[in-house]
Amino acid sequence: MPVSSLRLQLLAWVVLPLAGLATINLWTSHRNALATADLVTDRMLVGSARAIAEQVAIVDGVLDATVPPAAIEMFDTGDRDSVYYRVETAGGRLLTGYPDLPEAQDRPSLEATYRDRTLRLLTFSHAVIGAGADSPISVTVGVTLAGHDAMVRHLWFNAFAQQLMLVAIAGVFVLLGLRRGLAPLIRLRDAVRSPARSDLDPIEITGAQSEIRPLIDALNAYMERVRGQMAAQRRFIANAAHQLRTPLALLSTQASYALRESAADQRQEALVALQASSGRLARLAEQLLTLSRAEPGSRRPRADRIDLTEAARHVLETQAPAALARNVDLGLDESGPVPVVGDGTMLREMIVNLVDNALRYTPAGGTVTVRLAAIDGEAVLTVTDDGPGIPADEREHVFERFYRLADATEEGSGLGLAIVREVAENAGGRVTLADGAAAGLVVEVRLPLA
């Protein structure tokens, strides 16, 4: 892809329209130069014809026409023009001049071809006292167009030079202005690319224009979000490493114990414990993976249309063996489909974590109920258990990663509710905790209905 320059683009947007306007101005300048040359030539023709006509008089009873030298010399502009004239009476009798010279009939001036040369002609009528029927006389003067065309070229070339100089000067000033105006952008580029910047510290550019300030603010806000995400990732990695270290050490210890035991029953007991620890470790790894995928920006946004009722029914079917093993009554209370839009995989994982948490903390013989309803344009998912509940002053903390209550008796990772909040907020919803009717905990998730 070709690299485009903002400076060149701005210069083009200024200079090219200016050049277009200059071109139009040159066209009008040529027309003005032509009109000026026509006017000057016609004035000279009128002056020449008048000078000739004023010399026509009655001499000894005869009409006499004398052409004064001044009438011809006024066309001597150094362009070697030829001048032609004709003087005739009202009756058409030629007094002097070229008999076949055309007349400018019914118009102030005329361009015609004479002797293979283009002339500009003008006919002037003048009354002569005492001429009788021969008055008024008609004087026609014609001149070739060498001087006329030279005047047009001179005027037009002057206008062209002025327009060209104007565009060039404008381009120079625009370049100087762009260099000064884009200086803050250059400083911003240098500040971002500077090898001395090891941290994502805010960038401050002095003298930045009001149009560039929003870009700097947006860049600083973006770096602030990146710093927050990097800090969260560092905390997550540190916590994950800490959480994985204990079960891995336990697995190693249990495996070593099983290898040392020679008695079959004790080895069997050690292997069962090893299998249980492996399951807990697998669950922890699965929750860590789910939490990383639930973080904003970690996955491409999806807009699946899923039925929460159907998803909850499937989750309860998979959790039924665990509920039976703990002698917990696991039930679903629903009145029909509850459609929502979001990441289907993550929403189902949210329900898995809610039900798994409830089963873990509900004592044997207790009840876990999952309720689904559509209320006021929202999908409401409620999970109620008979467990010990969560104190009110701890309810905000349990959504933090790896946070566990001090008096918790069940083994867990402290990730379940963190996953639930991440998934719900990514889907545009919210999560709240409340006390049960008699005891236990009520977790309510509200999501926008599809």
Side-chain angles (χ1 to χ4, degrees), residues 251-288:
L251 281 177
S252 178
T253 301
Q254 290 172 336
S256 299
Y257 179 77
L259 289 174
R260 290 197 304 268
E261 288 297 331
S262 57
D265 54 345
Q266 293 180 347
R267 180 180 296 176
Q268 179 66 22
E269 182 181 352
L271 290 175
V272 170
L274 182 62
Q275 184 180 31
S277 297
S278 299
R280 288 191 294 271
L281 181 59
R283 176 60 181 163
L284 175 60
E286 181 181 351
Q287 286 187 312
L288 288 172

Side-chain angles (χ1 to χ4, degrees), residues 277-328:
S277 297
S278 299
R280 288 191 294 271
L281 181 59
R283 176 60 181 163
L284 175 60
E286 181 181 351
Q287 286 187 312
L288 288 172
L289 179 60
T290 300
L291 186 59
S292 67
R293 290 186 299 177
E295 290 181 341
S298 60
R299 285 162 58 92
R300 179 177 297 178
R302 294 177 57 180
D304 304 326
R305 183 184 176 94
I306 69 166
D307 180 10
L308 280 185
T309 302
E310 182 63 28
R313 185 178 294 112
H314 177 73
V315 170
L316 264 60
E317 289 175 357
T318 58
Q319 294 289 332
L324 290 175
R326 299 179 64 91
N327 192 24
V328 174

Side-chain angles (χ1 to χ4, degrees), residues 156-193:
W156 187 78
F157 282 144
N158 284 342
F160 176 78
Q162 293 174 2
Q163 298 298 324
L164 184 61
M165 184 177 299
L166 177 63
V167 173
I169 293 174
V172 171
F173 277 106
V174 168
L175 277 177
L176 294 176
L178 287 177
R179 183 176 180 180
R180 183 175 181 85
L182 295 178
L185 276 179
I186 303 301
R187 293 200 299 270
L188 176 61
R189 180 203 63 187
D190 295 339
V192 172
R193 297 171 56 182

